[in-house]
Amino acid sequence: TKKMSEELTDFLTERHLASLTTLRADGSPHVVPVGFSFDAASNEVRIITFDGSQKVTNARRGGRAAVSQVDGGRWVTLEGTVRATSDATEVATAVAGYAARYQQPKDRDNRVAIIITVDRILCGKMLKG
């Protein structure tokens, strides 16, 4: 992916929720609201959730997923390959990203991180660099 504009980088740090789209086993979309963080250095979207949720089940199958954030005429969709992990270091990184953007989440013993390695960015004209 190419370098992101400053406006897009800022938009991805503002406090907004997004829609996460993963695919069910039958190929139909599963769309849910989420908070997320984006790490431009690793090109990864990180979402925290809990084991057993449908989005984790979908992410564990691999494939592709997308998060879409909208604020009036500003919007961005970050798309790529998806995976779910219970690795303590990766989960802690996802929690830190969430805490920096939103607030410190409550502790959970079954926390899972969903990670999308972004290879496609779609955005409105005002956010393009």
Side-chain angles (χ1 to χ4, degrees):
T1 54
K2 51 188 185 177
K3 188 174 180 328
M4 291 195 302
S5 70
E6 187 176 333
E7 292 81 8
L8 179 54
T9 301
D10 289 348
F11 186 50
L12 288 169
T13 60
E14 293 171 9
R15 192 182 195 287
H16 297 286
L17 295 178
S19 294
L20 168 68
T21 303
T22 56
L23 299 177
R24 295 182 183 97
D26 67 2
S28 64
H30 176 258
V31 185
V32 292
V34 294
F36 75 95
S37 61
F38 178 69
D39 181 347
S42 65
N43 221 34
E44 289 180 337
V45 165
R46 297 183 180 115
I47 298 160
I48 56 172
T49 187
F50 58 93
D51 205 10
S53 69
Q54 184 64 51
K55 58 189 168 284
V56 168
T57 299
N58 296 344
R60 284 205 168 114
R61 271 196 303 278
R64 297 185 64 78
V67 291
S68 243
Q69 174 176 300
V70 179
D71 179 46
R74 299 184 306 157
W75 62 273
V76 63
T77 298
L78 304 171
E79 181 184 324
T81 56
V82 67
R83 64 189 176 89
T85 181
S86 299
D87 175 81
T89 302
E90 289 189 295
V91 169
T93 300
V95 167
Y98 182 93
R101 188 167 188 194
Y102 304 100
Q103 65 185 13
Q104 185 65 40
K106 294 180 178 153
D107 287 336
R108 292 192 81 110
D109 57 2
N110 64 343
R111 176 99 57 217
V112 174
I114 292 176
I115 300 174
I116 300 171
T117 302
V118 177
D119 57 29
R120 183 177 296 153
I121 299 174
L122 307 169
C123 60
K125 286 182 191 173
M126 67 183 63
L127 295 175
K128 288 189 173 160

